[in-house]
């Protein structure tokens, strides 16, 4: 069944061109009459909105989305699950929770942000023969890439960078994660510097006090993760 919500008399010429090509299909225009079609369908293809949604979903559209989400069928959304803001990925009051999302042409920023990640299901890019266009949005699966720097035999840890991570002993997890991420991406040495004794999460990371450390001895210094207050000890090192 093809479910149409809205006034067909206000439809665009492009919509009517494809709509009129559909033959011998049940066409439903009344929200109260779609329950049986939703419950009897094995697959639901969601294309309620395009990628221009800017306001909250309401009225019959909200009711339809709720009915779709309650249906047991496999749900497939085109470009974005209906109800997701294409720029921010935020749910605009109601949104389809898809099992699969086919993104046409190029990824949209909203595919990867905020609520969208819990609504798109399995997402794939679809090439339907559109003219090549510019897009600066790409999807990288960390399982498919290796950003580690290739190491030569005649080298040692300082060859690959001596990095310092200045953070807070009160929230040591954030700064520790930053340090271990650097090591996994190829850094040679990572030192966590905190204002007080901190929990040592990783044996690969060096943990030391920030007091009297000369930060010029490091190739790169990362400052900030886990810090909620800019205390005097930080001012001493970073304001000079």
């Amino acid at each position: 069944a093809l479910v149409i919500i809205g006034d067909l008399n206000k439809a665009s010429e492009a919509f009517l061109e494809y709509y009129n090509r559909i033959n011998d299909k049940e066409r439903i225009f009344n929200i109260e009459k779609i329950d049986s079609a939703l419950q009897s369908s094995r697959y639901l293809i969601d294309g309620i909105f395009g990628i221009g949604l800017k306001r909250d979903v309401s009225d019959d559209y909200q009711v339809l989305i709720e009915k779709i989400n309650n249906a047991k069928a496999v749900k497939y959304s085109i470009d974005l699950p209906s109800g997701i803001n294409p720029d921010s990925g935020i749910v605009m009051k109601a949104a389809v929770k898809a099992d699969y999302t086919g993104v046409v042409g190029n990824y949209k920023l909203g595919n990867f942000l905020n609520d969208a990640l819990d609504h798109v299901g399995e997402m794939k890019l679809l090439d339907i023969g559109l003219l090549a266009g510019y897009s600066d949005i790409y999807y990288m699966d960390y399982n498919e890439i290796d950003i580690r720097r290739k190491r030569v035999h005649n080298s040692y840890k300082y060859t690959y960078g001596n990095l310092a991570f200045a953070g807070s002993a009160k929230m040591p997890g954030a700064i520790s994660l930053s340090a271990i991420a650097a090591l996994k991406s190829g850094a040679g040495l990572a030192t966590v510097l905190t204002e007080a004794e901190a929990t040592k999460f990783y044996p690969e990371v060096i943990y030391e006090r920030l007091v009297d450390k000369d930060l010029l001895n490091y190739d790169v210094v990362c400052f900030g993760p886990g810090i909620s207050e800019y205390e005097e000890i930080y001012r001493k090192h970073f304001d000079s």
Side-chain angles (χ1 to χ4, degrees), residues 135-159:
S135 175
D136 57 0
I137 303 172
Y138 303 93
Y139 176 70
M140 292 189 298
D141 188 332
Y142 69 90
N143 291 311
E144 299 175 355
I145 60 175
D146 186 356
I147 62 174
R148 292 175 297 179
R149 183 178 174 184
K150 185 178 180 180
R151 299 194 174 193
V152 297
H153 292 287
N154 187 20
S155 64
Y156 67 123
K157 57 189 175 184
Y158 287 98
T159 305

Side-chain angles (χ1 to χ4, degrees), residues 69-221:
N69 287 339
N70 289 331
K72 296 180 180 180
V74 175
K75 303 166 187 69
Y76 189 102
S77 290
I78 302 171
D79 263 336
L80 275 166
S82 290
I84 295 290
N85 185 293
D87 298 318
S88 68
I90 295 291
V91 169
M92 307 300 283
K93 198 173 182 180
V96 171
K97 296 204 74 170
D99 298 295
Y100 303 93
T101 297
V103 184
V104 179
N106 293 302
Y107 287 112
K108 286 70 184 175
L109 192 58
N111 287 126
F112 303 103
L113 301 177
N114 299 308
D115 301 316
L117 298 174
D118 296 313
H119 286 72
V120 294
E122 182 179 331
M123 183 168 57
K124 289 189 176 181
L125 193 63
L126 305 179
D127 181 1
I128 62 170
L130 295 176
L131 293 176
Y134 171 76
S135 175
D136 57 0
I137 303 172
Y138 303 93
Y139 176 70
M140 292 189 298
D141 188 332
Y142 69 90
N143 291 311
E144 299 175 355
I145 60 175
D146 186 356
I147 62 174
R148 292 175 297 179
R149 183 178 174 184
K150 185 178 180 180
R151 299 194 174 193
V152 297
H153 292 287
N154 187 20
S155 64
Y156 67 123
K157 57 189 175 184
Y158 287 98
T159 305
Y160 304 98
N162 181 19
L163 283 61
F165 297 83
S168 172
K170 299 173 184 176
M171 301 287 286
I175 200 69
S176 293
L177 287 171
S178 300
I180 199 67
L183 290 176
K184 288 188 175 183
S185 65
L189 197 66
T191 301
V192 165
L193 302 174
T194 51
E195 80 290 357
E197 192 75 18
T199 302
K200 298 176 175 60
F201 287 100
Y202 301 103
E204 307 96 315
V205 175
I206 300 171
Y207 291 85
E208 294 182 340
R209 297 279 296 277
L210 182 58
V211 177
D212 298 327
K213 284 291 180 181
D214 185 356
L215 298 182
L216 294 178
N217 291 329
Y218 299 94
D219 298 313
V220 176
V221 176

Side-chain angles (χ1 to χ4, degrees), residues 30-64:
N30 193 319
I31 192 71
E32 285 78 19
K33 295 182 180 180
I34 69 169
D35 290 290
S36 60
L38 291 178
Q39 298 306 322
S40 62
S41 298
R42 294 177 58 190
Y43 302 97
L44 297 177
I45 300 176
D46 159 39
I48 303 174
F49 302 117
I51 57 173
L53 181 66
K54 302 297 183 184
R55 61 183 180 181
D56 284 345
V57 176
S58 59
D59 303 325
D60 284 350
Y61 297 108
Q62 183 177 358
V63 173
L64 177 57

